[in-house]
Amino acid sequence: METIENNEKEREEKEPKYRSEAGIKAFILVMTGITIITAALTSGTYNGYDPHAYSVAITGFFVIVTIIMTAVWYRSKYNNYAYNPNKKSKR
Amino acid sequence: MISVTAWEWIGLFIGMLIGGLAEAWGISNPEVLIRLGRWKDRLFVGCIAIAIGAGALALYGLAALGVSFHWGVKPDYVWGVALGAAIFGTGIAISGYVPGTVWMALGEGRRDAVYAVLGGLLGAASWTLIYQTSFGHWLVTYDNFGQIYFGGAVDTDLYVGFGIAVAWAIIMFSVAYFLPRYKGGKSCAYTSLHKERGLSPQEESKYVETAGMLLEGSSMPLGKHNLPEKVNYHWTVSSKLFGVVMMSVGIIIGLTVVLEMFLHQIFGESTTYSWIVAKIWLPAGTWKYSTLVVHTIGWEPFSDIGTLFGAFLASIFFTRRFQSFNNVIPPSWEKRFGNSQIKRAAGAFSGAFLMLLGARMADGCASGHILSGDLQMAVSSLEFFIVVMISLLIVAHIIYRKVVD
């Protein structure tokens, strides 16, 4: 387990300081609810084999918007941070 | 006879469950499948074998007891399935993706998944065009033995089917037990049953390297002493927890696929690409394959959106591997082709093109054939899996043979 613990410590040294993410997480949870409700309302009780295209499109649209907004938020919050396991730690 | 046909949007939840678990497992990372092709990391085979074994027992056991399923077994047109599988395996070796993991990778915020989606759509469109020709017709009709499983025609002789499922499950569990994840190591099934066994220093360094590879490019700090750190460094690495977690993931995925067959249809991921093509480019009515797709697809577009969204949620709340579309190139690819973004985009696009062309030609992909189909003991799916593995190993060897880890 020593290798694992050493690796954890090395990674912690490379990372930026953890900041509050409550806002974006609340946004994601709200969007999750909106996505599910949208799918339920637009598709309804239909259980056949040719799905309504508009229902799939608007459900997918909300998911894509959520992902893009989240990506923009994290990029700006952590200043374009990207973890690189091969990079030497700051110390 | 107990029979249910669920509403289509319920497919969202099935997709979210499978997408979330698979993201935690790490298969959304293309390096995982490239390493499978290089025969360096066989976790995929072990996990899928557990899912197939557990699922086959549940499926045929329940069917023999009178539960009705939406079988959707893939027809075995021998030459079309074989050619499709060979092209599919080639596509995986190049891109590191299968149709479902493209959606998961997009949910995880992987940049090359964007190019893979576009390549996949073009590949699916190509099959819609080929299907219209005499060659396409020949591929799906010549030597077509229909929907058959190891016990005969689909949904017949279910007691015999259960007996075969027991033998099939023993074979699958044996594969999972005896096939080590890394060379010289032990499988996750073995590890979970031998809790006293510790990891050798070589194994430990392999696991740590894998954890680093899965986290590479993450746009969010993992933090310390929290759930994501446990997931990345202990549940997926420690010998005490890793085996149990991976066994559980395999079993849950297998049972979820059975649940999906009970509720509506088999678990598939590639038909959605053809459905999108039918809706935006090659319409049903004019194009025979588009007509076939729109009348048989069912809730798959919803389950695919669920797969994408489930992987996204897992990467934010569970593993913290969300990449925010950072530039990340799979290590094996980088060692072979360098760190050019354009080369990687071309690889993801062209690999996904071949992969989707092959999947639609064979009427299924890693989800429809390898997971759902082999769980159903479909003859076509066993053929598909064997040819895909041969093709993947050969092409990956040709491409990455000079790569030194």
Side-chain angles (χ1 to χ4, degrees):
Chain A
M1 294 299 283
E2 202 182 321
T3 313
I4 294 170
E5 281 159 17
N6 289 342
N7 192 269
E8 277 182 275
K9 279 181 196 155
E10 250 183 61
R11 176 192 50 77
E12 284 162 15
E13 287 167 10
K14 292 176 194 172
E15 284 184 349
K17 198 169 168 243
Y18 192 98
R19 300 172 71 180
S20 170
E21 298 174 2
I24 190 66
K25 286 185 176 168
F27 167 75
I28 291 168
L29 290 176
V30 169
M31 289 304 288
T32 303
I34 289 174
T35 302
I36 292 168
I37 291 167
T38 302
L41 290 178
T42 54
S43 184
T45 57
Y46 180 65
N47 66 357
Y49 280 86
D50 186 10
H52 303 311
Y54 62 87
S55 177
V56 174
I58 194 164
T59 306
F61 172 75
F62 281 129
V63 171
I64 289 168
V65 166
T66 309
I67 292 171
I68 291 172
M69 294 289 283
T70 305
V72 171
W73 191 93
Y74 274 105
R75 273 178 167 264
S76 56
K77 189 80 171 180
Y78 292 111
N79 197 24
N80 290 326
Y81 164 71
Y83 175 66
N84 180 354
N86 302 316
K87 193 177 160 189
K88 298 286 174 206
S89 60
K90 292 168 199 164
R91 287 180 202 174
Chain B
M1 184 73 86
I2 305 164
S3 178
V4 169
T5 303
W7 303 333
E8 283 198 340
W9 63 274
I10 302 294
L12 266 181
F13 297 102
I14 300 283
M16 283 166 82
L17 185 60
I18 293 181
L21 288 172
E23 196 281 335
W25 164 19
I27 197 173
S28 48
N29 189 320
E31 177 68 10
V32 171
L33 288 180
I34 291 175
R35 287 186 184 186
L36 172 68
R38 297 175 61 208
W39 210 234
K40 300 283 183 189
D41 185 346
R42 302 90 158 198
L43 180 63
F44 176 83
V45 176
C47 263
I48 216 91
I50 291 167
I52 289 170
L57 283 178
L59 177 67
Y60 282 93
L62 291 169
L65 289 173
V67 176
S68 176
F69 287 97
H70 303 271
W71 290 89
V73 164
K74 308 288 186 186
D76 189 25
Y77 40 92
V78 178
W79 301 104
V81 169
L83 180 60
I87 297 171
F88 185 79
T90 304
I92 300 173
I94 296 169
S95 65
Y97 285 120
V98 293
T101 65
V102 173
W103 297 126
M104 291 170 206
L106 200 60
E108 204 182 47
R110 296 192 73 92
R111 188 184 294 184
D112 60 359
V114 176
Y115 307 111
V117 168
L118 298 175
L121 288 171
L122 191 63
S126 301
W127 172 245
T128 302
L129 297 173
I130 294 170
Y131 186 85
Q132 201 90 349
T133 65
S134 54
F135 176 62
H137 180 74
W138 179 83
L139 280 175
V140 297
T141 52
Y142 189 72
D143 279 347
N144 186 338
F145 295 96
Q147 295 177 299
I148 50 172
Y149 81 112
F150 298 167
V154 63
D155 207 10
T156 60
D157 294 323
L158 293 171
Y159 290 107
V160 175
F162 180 67
I164 300 171
V166 172
W168 184 233
I170 291 171
I171 294 170
M172 290 294 109
F173 291 147
S174 300
V175 169
Y177 186 81
F178 289 110
L179 183 69
R181 178 172 186 181
Y182 302 112
K183 193 178 175 185
K186 294 290 179 187
S187 68
C188 63
Y190 182 95
T191 310
S192 68
L193 296 173
H194 296 80
K195 292 196 177 64
E196 75 290 349
R197 179 183 173 271
L199 293 173
S200 68
Q202 291 81 3
E203 265 185 294
E204 200 177 350
S205 69
K206 283 269 186 195
Y207 279 112
V208 166
E209 194 274 331
T210 301
M213 175 267 287
L214 293 177
L215 273 171
E216 186 176 5
S218 171
S219 62
M220 49 212 301
L222 198 57
K224 40 186 159 177
H225 312 307
N226 56 13
L227 177 67
E229 190 180 59
K230 285 196 181 86
V231 172
N232 282 286
Y233 282 92
H234 296 281
W235 293 11
T236 54
V237 175
S238 156
S239 64
K240 286 178 188 162
L241 286 166
F242 168 73
V244 178
V245 171
M246 286 300 150
M247 285 271 286
S248 308
V249 167
I251 291 169
I252 292 169
I253 287 179
L255 297 182
T256 305
V257 172
V258 175
L259 174 68
E260 186 166 18
M261 277 187 254
F262 172 66
L263 290 175
H264 205 282
Q265 64 190 83
I266 65 163
F267 183 65
E269 298 272 6
S270 60
T271 315
T272 299
Y273 293 81
S274 295
W275 182 80
I276 294 171
V277 167
K279 294 294 174 186
I280 62 176
W281 185 20
L282 304 170
T286 307
W287 299 90
K288 289 182 203 167
Y289 192 67
S290 294
T291 308
L292 179 70
V293 164
V294 298
H295 290 116
T296 54
I297 186 167
W299 72 13
E300 195 179 303
F302 284 108
S303 67
D304 279 14
I305 292 173
T307 305
L308 192 162
F309 206 41
F312 167 70
L313 294 175
S315 72
I316 295 288
F317 293 101
F318 200 51
T319 63
R320 291 183 68 82
R321 294 180 195 144
F322 185 68
Q323 298 192 349
S324 299
F325 302 97
N326 282 325
N327 176 33
V328 182
I329 295 176
S332 296
W333 178 279
E334 189 173 4
K335 285 173 187 162
R336 176 66 180 82
F337 297 105
N339 61 0
S340 160
Q341 281 189 60
I342 294 174
K343 276 189 192 171
R344 178 56 197 157
F349 182 90
S350 58
F353 169 83
L354 291 173
M355 190 250 302
L356 252 300
L357 173 63
R360 296 326 306 151
M361 187 181 288
D363 196 26
C365 58
S367 306
H369 264 310
I370 295 175
L371 181 56
S372 303
D374 285 316
L375 187 154
Q376 294 172 318
M377 304 190 299
V379 175
S380 59
S381 300
L382 181 62
E383 179 196 344
F384 182 82
F385 193 14
I386 292 169
V387 178
V388 166
M389 284 307 297
I390 293 170
S391 164
L392 171 62
L393 292 170
I394 291 173
V395 177
H397 175 74
I398 293 168
I399 296 175
Y400 302 105
R401 68 186 183 283
K402 290 179 183 169
V403 170
V404 180
D405 292 314

